């Protein structure tokens, strides 16, 4: 089937195709018959792509039609050539015998002798009388040069003579005069019964009075009827054979495709969560073994999924229970630690330092418990989005203000590029602020003393926030791992805040809860950039982002090895 997709692909990439489709002349062209044909072509293309049985039957029909057609043409040509070959042999034999007979009868030396005319008429009468039936040949003797004869004693040959003297047989007449035995196929009407095919066979008769041309017009009616009958028989037989092959291919393909379709539908139901779906096993052939193996695979998957779900449920319950159970002793320890921390000035230096370390580790432990509880809510499906109209510019300002002191300690100043007007978005401000706090905090820690830039852009359907650092960046493949739980790019590096390793995992879940994207890009020595994209209205579907994922100041290699986009 003709495919125009490779032809239109460059136009689609450049946007020319979209402009053409929106133009008035294209819309006018698609109306009426052209539009109907285009729709039919689309339906046929869709059926061709989706229906394996249709493709097999169509290919079988085309190939068998080509083979049977070629064989039919070969048979028809061979039979026709055989019939004409036999006709030529018989004609050659008859003309040779007639020429010998005419030479014997026309032994007259004087061209003006009246006996010559008489003998020519008798020879024609004799030769014509030997032809009988529907395949009776027309015979004519034509003088050459100055020789003049009449055919008074012969039947009327005016029609035959007109055919012989026609311009179509000029080459044949020249060959006969040169002494060759010539033949030619011609369509003529020598007797007024309509145009018919003839085989014209001729030879030269040399007599003492001069030279004559003996011409035979053998009708090919019987041979044409036989050839037409053979062609008709071969055509009908070939057409019937092609149809039978197509039907046979459809039946055989259906026997194979039907179990495959059942397997596809069963697999779709399994993927939809209906783990009890199975295929029907019939017989003991390869398809039956395929169905049995498929059912065994489905049963194993069902058992494995049930076991994993049970383990996941127990893990979530364990995490939630442990987090809740640790809250009570942590509160007690926190109260005691706060009391000790507030009195640290009265202690010795070593004891005061221990109180400060205890306070910091308790803060980290409490943050870890909070993150674990949040992760358990996401795993259990209990996370709720409290969306409300929020100025994203104000949220970015609060986050950068709170992390300004950390940026100063790390030597990575914060640069903020936001619109001059508020950007109102329907989001959960607490969750968005947590996402930005994690992104900016990680960028500051990995900034290697270089500035960290936060950019906000919005369009009609989406808003995007990018956080760009110029640190060591991410190695190839790490941009796929950065959102995993408890994963760190370099565990040996000294940390300023002592994170839990769950910040980006929680950020991804918060972005998904909004229906947004959280993506990462990084390259060694080029730093990293994270992009948060959220819909302007809660519940809308994202199709694009106002900001690119790859920074504009990065030279992208031709092979693209240094850029990878991840949309968790």
């Amino acid at each position: 089937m003709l495919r125009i997709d490779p032809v239109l692909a460059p136009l689609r990439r450049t946007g020319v195709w979209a402009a053409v489709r929106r133009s008035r002349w294209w819309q006018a062209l698609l109306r009426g018959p052209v539009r109907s044909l285009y729709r039919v072509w689309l339906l046929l293309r869709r059926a061709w792509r989706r229906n394996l049985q249709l493709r097999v039957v169509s290919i079988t029909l085309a190939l068998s039609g080509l083979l049977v057609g070629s064989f039919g043409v070969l048979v028809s040509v061979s039979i026709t050539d055989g019939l004409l070959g036999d006709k030529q042999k018989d004609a050659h034999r008859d003309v040779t015998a007639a020429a010998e007979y005419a030479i014997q009868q026309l032994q007259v030396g004087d061209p003006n002798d009246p006996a010559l005319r008489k003998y020519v008429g008798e020879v024609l009468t004799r030769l014509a009388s030997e032809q009988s039936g529907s395949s009776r040949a027309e015979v004519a003797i034509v003088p050459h040069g100055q020789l003049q004869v009449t055919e008074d004693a012969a039947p009327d040959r005016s029609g035959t003579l007109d055919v012989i003297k026609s311009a179509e047989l000029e080459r044949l007449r020249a060959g006969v005069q040169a002494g060759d035995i010539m033949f030619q196929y011609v369509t003529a009407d020598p007797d007024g019964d309509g145009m018919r095919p003839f085989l014209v066979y001729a030879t030269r008769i040399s007599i003492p009075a001069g030279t004559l041309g003996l011409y035979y017009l053998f009708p090919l009616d019987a041979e044409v009827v036989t050839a037409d009958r053979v062609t008709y028989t071969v055509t009908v037989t070939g057409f019937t054979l092609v149809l039978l092959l197509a039907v046979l291919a459809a039946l055989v393909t259906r026997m194979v495709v039907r179990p495959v379709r059942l397997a596809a539908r069963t697999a779709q139901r399994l993927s939809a969560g209906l783990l009890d779906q199975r295929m029907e096993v019939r017989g003991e052939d390869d398809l039956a073994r395929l169905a049995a193996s498929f059912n065994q695979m489905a049963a194993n998957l069902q058992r494995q999924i049930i076991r994993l779900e049970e383990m996941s449920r127990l893990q979530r319950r364990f995490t939630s229970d442990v987090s809740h159970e640790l809250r009570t002793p942590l509160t007690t320890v926190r109260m005691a630690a706060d009391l000790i921390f507030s009195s640290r000035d009265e202690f010795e230096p070593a004891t005061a330092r221990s109180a400060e370390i205890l306070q910091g580790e308790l803060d980290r432990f409490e943050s870890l418990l909070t993150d674990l509880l949040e992760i358990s809510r996401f795993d259990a499906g209990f996370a709720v989005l409290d969306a409300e109209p929020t100025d994203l510019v104000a949220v970015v300002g609060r986050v950068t203000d709170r992390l300004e002191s950390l940026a100063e300690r790390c030597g990575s100043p914060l640069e903020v590029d936001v619109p001059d007007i508020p950007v109102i978005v329907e989001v959960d401000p607490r969750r968005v602020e947590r996402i930005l706090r994690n992104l900016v905090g990680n960028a500051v820690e990995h900034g290697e003393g270089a500035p960290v830039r936060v950019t906000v852009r919005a369009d009609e359907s989406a808003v995007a926030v990018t956080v760009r650092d110029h640190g060591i960046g991410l190695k190839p493949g790490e941009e796929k791992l950065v959102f995993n739980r408890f994963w760190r790019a370099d565990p040996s590096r000294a940390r300023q805040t002592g994170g839990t390793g769950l910040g980006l995992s929680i950020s991804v879940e918060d972005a998904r809860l909004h229906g947004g994207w959280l993506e990462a890009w990084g390259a060694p020595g080029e730093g990293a950039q994270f992009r948060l994209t959220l819909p302007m209205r809660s519940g809308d579907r994202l199709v694009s982002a106002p900001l690119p994922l790859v920074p504009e100041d990065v030279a992208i290699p031709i092979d693209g090895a240094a850029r990878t986009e991840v949309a968790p």
Side-chain angles (χ1 to χ4, degrees):
M1 180 179 291
L2 179 63
R3 298 190 60 185
I4 63 172
D5 291 344
V7 180
L8 298 181
L11 296 179
R12 287 174 176 164
R13 286 195 296 267
T14 57
V16 176
W17 177 245
V20 169
R21 294 186 63 180
R22 290 194 299 268
S23 61
R24 294 183 178 178
W25 67 269
W26 176 259
Q27 298 296 331
L29 182 62
L30 289 182
R31 296 190 183 98
V34 176
R35 188 171 186 175
S36 300
L37 291 176
Y38 183 69
R39 289 180 177 177
V40 171
W41 180 81
L42 290 179
L43 292 176
L44 291 177
R45 186 181 68 169
R46 181 179 181 183
W48 177 266
R49 288 182 174 180
R50 295 191 173 187
N51 197 322
L52 175 62
Q53 186 176 9
L54 175 63
R55 292 202 299 272
V56 173
V57 173
S58 300
I59 294 174
T60 303
L61 189 64
L63 294 180
S64 60
L66 180 61
L67 292 177
V68 172
S70 302
F71 178 76
V73 171
L74 179 62
V75 170
S76 299
V77 171
S78 299
I79 293 177
T80 303
D81 290 343
L83 291 174
L84 295 178
D86 294 340
K87 190 68 174 180
Q88 291 175 12
K89 291 179 182 178
D90 295 340
H92 188 276
R93 183 182 63 249
D94 293 345
V95 170
T96 303
E100 293 177 356
Y101 172 77
I103 292 174
Q104 294 175 2
Q105 298 297 322
L106 300 177
Q107 294 296 321
V108 179
D110 187 1
N112 298 320
D113 189 345
L116 179 61
R117 303 185 186 94
K118 177 182 176 182
Y119 292 155
V120 169
E122 291 177 353
V123 169
L124 282 174
T125 302
R126 173 66 181 275
L127 296 178
S129 64
E130 294 178 353
Q131 308 294 325
S132 62
S134 59
S135 59
R136 182 178 62 87
E138 300 289 340
V139 186
I141 296 179
V142 178
H144 295 163
Q146 301 297 325
L147 184 61
Q148 300 291 331
V149 297
T150 61
E151 303 177 6
D152 299 336
D156 186 11
R157 297 282 186 269
S158 61
T160 303
L161 292 175
D162 292 339
V163 174
I164 294 174
K165 294 179 180 180
S166 64
E168 187 176 359
L169 297 179
E170 181 179 357
R171 183 177 179 182
L172 181 138
R173 292 195 303 270
V176 171
Q177 292 179 8
D180 298 329
I181 298 178
M182 304 290 294
F183 71 90
Q184 183 176 341
Y185 295 99
V186 65
T187 301
D189 182 17
D191 49 11
D193 294 336
M195 303 295 289
R196 294 185 297 160
F198 287 89
L199 170 62
V200 180
Y201 228 103
T203 185
R204 189 177 69 175
I205 301 175
S206 297
I207 59 177
T211 58
L212 300 172
L214 179 60
Y215 293 84
Y216 270 72
L217 273 68
F218 294 96
L220 300 177
D221 298 333
E223 287 75 13
V224 170
V225 170
T226 303
D228 290 342
R229 187 175 300 167
V230 170
T231 302
Y232 175 78
T233 303
V234 170
T235 301
V236 173
T237 304
F239 184 75
T240 304
L241 181 60
V242 170
L243 288 182
L244 291 177
L245 288 175
V247 172
L248 181 62
L251 295 177
V252 174
T253 308
R254 178 179 174 81
M255 295 174 58
V256 178
V257 171
R258 186 172 179 272
V260 175
R261 290 175 177 172
L262 292 177
R265 287 196 291 266
T266 305
Q268 290 176 354
R269 296 190 183 102
L270 289 174
S271 64
L274 303 176
L275 301 179
D276 58 342
Q277 296 294 312
R278 298 293 184 271
M279 291 183 61
E280 182 179 359
V281 181
R282 294 181 180 179
E284 299 179 357
D285 55 5
D286 295 335
L287 295 176
R289 289 195 293 271
L290 173 63
S293 300
F294 186 89
N295 292 339
Q296 183 65 31
M297 178 192 68
N300 294 336
L301 287 177
Q302 184 180 15
R303 289 193 296 268
Q304 188 72 6
I305 290 174
I306 292 176
R307 187 175 68 86
L308 292 176
E309 287 180 347
E310 182 65 20
M311 292 177 59
S312 178
R313 186 183 64 82
L314 293 176
Q315 181 182 8
R316 291 196 301 268
R317 183 175 178 180
F318 174 78
T319 302
S320 178
D321 291 346
V322 168
S323 301
H324 282 92
E325 290 298 328
L326 290 177
R327 277 291 182 182
T328 301
L330 177 62
T331 303
T332 303
V333 173
R334 164 67 70 182
M335 294 174 60
D338 290 342
L339 181 61
I340 296 174
F341 184 76
S342 60
S343 304
R344 67 184 182 279
D345 295 337
E346 302 175 2
F347 301 150
E348 296 180 358
T351 306
R353 178 57 181 164
S354 299
E356 293 176 355
I357 294 175
L358 176 62
Q359 186 73 11
E361 292 302 317
L362 283 175
D363 291 339
R364 182 179 179 186
F365 187 41
E366 187 174 10
S367 177
L368 176 60
L369 285 180
T370 302
D371 291 344
L372 287 175
L373 284 173
E374 191 68 23
I375 286 291
S376 66
R377 293 191 189 97
F378 283 117
D379 291 340
F382 294 152
V384 180
L385 184 68
D386 296 329
E388 61 184 39
T390 305
D391 183 9
L392 194 61
V393 174
V395 174
V396 172
R398 290 197 300 269
V399 171
T400 54
D401 291 342
R402 292 178 181 178
L403 295 175
E404 189 67 37
S405 58
L406 175 62
E408 292 177 356
R409 291 198 305 270
C410 296
S412 298
L414 294 177
E415 300 177 354
V416 181
D417 182 8
V418 296
D420 297 333
I421 60 175
V423 178
I424 306 300
V425 191
E426 293 184 7
V427 294
D428 188 335
R430 179 181 65 87
R431 296 183 183 277
V432 173
E433 186 172 344
R434 180 166 58 192
I435 296 173
L436 296 178
R437 187 168 60 248
N438 287 327
L439 296 181
V440 177
N442 287 339
V444 169
E445 290 183 357
H446 297 84
E448 300 293 333
V452 174
R453 187 175 185 83
V454 182
T455 307
V456 179
R457 292 292 183 270
D459 55 22
E460 296 180 355
S461 60
V463 61
V465 181
T466 58
V467 179
R468 172 80 162 101
D469 67 73
H470 297 80
I472 61 174
L474 297 174
K475 299 177 182 178
E478 289 184 346
E479 68 282 343
K480 301 178 181 179
L481 305 174
V482 70
F483 298 105
N484 292 347
R485 298 177 183 181
F486 301 106
W487 185 88
R488 292 179 180 175
D490 187 2
S492 63
R493 296 178 70 251
R495 298 179 57 87
Q496 299 291 333
T497 59
T500 63
L502 295 174
L504 291 180
S505 301
I506 296 175
S507 299
V508 167
E509 299 296 340
D510 284 333
R512 288 174 179 171
L513 196 61
H514 284 85
W517 304 333
L518 184 56
E519 302 161 286
W521 170 90
E526 297 286 350
Q529 178 166 290
F530 288 77
R531 181 180 67 181
L532 172 66
T533 310
L534 301 173
M536 294 293 290
R537 289 168 294 278
S538 179
D540 288 354
R541 182 175 178 271
L542 287 177
V543 294
S544 61
L547 288 173
L549 178 60
V550 181
E552 297 179 354
D553 58 344
V554 175
I556 303 176
I558 297 178
D559 58 359
R563 62 169 295 184
T564 303
E565 299 184 7
V566 179

